[in-house]
Amino acid sequence: MTAKRLLEVESKFLFKPSLIATLEANQGTPAFNRLEALGTHSFTDTYYDYRNTLSKNGIWLRQRKDRQSTILEAKVRISGDFARSTFDEMTDRKMITDLIRPHLPQFNEGKENFGLDLLAEFTTTRQDYKADDRFAIVLDYTDFGHSVGEVELMAEDEATAHAEIDSFMAQYPWFFQKGNGKTEGKLAAYFRVHGIDTSI
């Protein structure tokens, strides 16, 4: 029996930089059952498309580059939106090729990034944490002035994972504050700041 692929299930949130010190000291009320700070790193994401064909079909093709590596990967939105979503991620070039071929039959398989157009490019500085032994918390700061947090789980069952993320965030309202602001992902913010119409 073939094992199910793990999906990336995530929920974005707004955060206050003034609470980072409290987070890292794990002195919020209530405190996390367990919190591990995993460090800070930076990476540059370059997204590719052709006339928004991939993005309109929920596919994001990107190259992520940091100090150690450069990886081409595709993210396929299974459900949700920019704030609360489930993605299937792949880094195998053949799988990526098979994914985008039906949408872009004219793409050049032999060219770097398949010869597609640049859609977006920005650098992110990320702080990583692991909370309560299961939940990944990331705090992202982009080079165009946008910041956003995410809680992530890798899971086979997206509905269960979303429910678990919702329950987890509800336990710590001092940090995962709902507020009145609209939670906006990095790409959505990039498109807004740069006036890019993606029709999504």
Side-chain angles (χ1 to χ4, degrees):
M1 182 177 178
T2 303
K4 289 185 178 179
R5 287 176 59 83
L6 288 177
L7 302 173
E8 181 186 74
V9 183
E10 62 184 42
S11 185
K12 294 179 173 61
F13 62 91
L14 302 174
F15 66 91
K16 293 182 178 180
S18 60
L19 290 173
I20 301 302
T22 303
L23 170 71
E24 296 201 336
N26 199 15
Q27 293 181 342
T29 303
F32 292 95
N33 294 323
R34 178 176 169 81
L35 182 72
E36 183 180 2
L38 303 177
T40 301
H41 65 288
S42 296
F43 52 86
T44 298
D45 284 333
T46 307
Y47 287 82
Y48 298 93
D49 206 339
Y50 179 73
R51 296 183 178 178
N52 300 329
T53 302
L54 296 179
S55 59
K56 287 177 181 177
N57 285 280
I59 299 170
W60 304 98
L61 179 67
R62 74 182 178 199
Q63 177 181 274
R64 174 162 290 183
K65 183 176 182 180
D66 59 21
R67 286 185 175 183
Q68 283 75 39
S69 63
T70 300
I71 299 173
L72 183 69
E73 57 187 358
K75 295 186 67 170
V76 184
R77 183 186 297 148
I78 304 301
S79 65
D81 52 30
F82 277 115
R84 192 173 186 270
S85 52
T86 301
F87 288 98
D88 187 6
E89 295 188 338
M90 57 191 72
T91 57
D92 179 82
R93 190 175 180 91
K94 183 181 185 306
M95 290 180 66
I96 295 174
T97 299
D98 292 342
L99 173 70
I100 67 176
R101 181 182 283 115
H103 304 286
L104 293 171
Q106 77 277 26
F107 81 106
N108 190 325
E109 183 176 346
K111 273 195 171 185
E112 184 180 6
N113 307 318
F114 305 108
L116 302 178
D117 299 330
L118 188 149
L119 176 65
E121 185 173 62
F122 53 87
T123 297
T124 299
T125 298
R126 170 171 289 180
Q127 295 171 259
D128 286 290
Y129 305 86
K130 186 176 182 180
D132 295 357
D133 297 316
R134 295 190 60 214
F135 299 90
I137 301 174
V138 301
L139 307 180
D140 286 344
Y141 307 81
T142 69
D143 61 357
F144 59 90
H146 182 68
S147 60
V148 66
E150 296 178 6
V151 175
E152 301 175 353
L153 274 180
M154 298 300 295
E156 294 180 356
D157 185 332
E158 62 171 313
T160 298
H162 271 305
E164 291 174 342
I165 290 174
D166 290 344
S167 176
F168 166 75
M169 295 175 73
Q171 290 180 61
Y172 310 105
W174 63 269
F175 190 71
F176 304 113
Q177 299 180 25
K178 292 184 179 180
N180 297 317
K182 178 185 177 182
T183 305
E184 190 175 40
K186 297 188 294 294
L187 263 180
Y190 181 94
F191 296 149
R192 173 180 53 78
V193 169
H194 292 85
I196 298 173
D197 180 14
T198 60
S199 300
I200 55 173

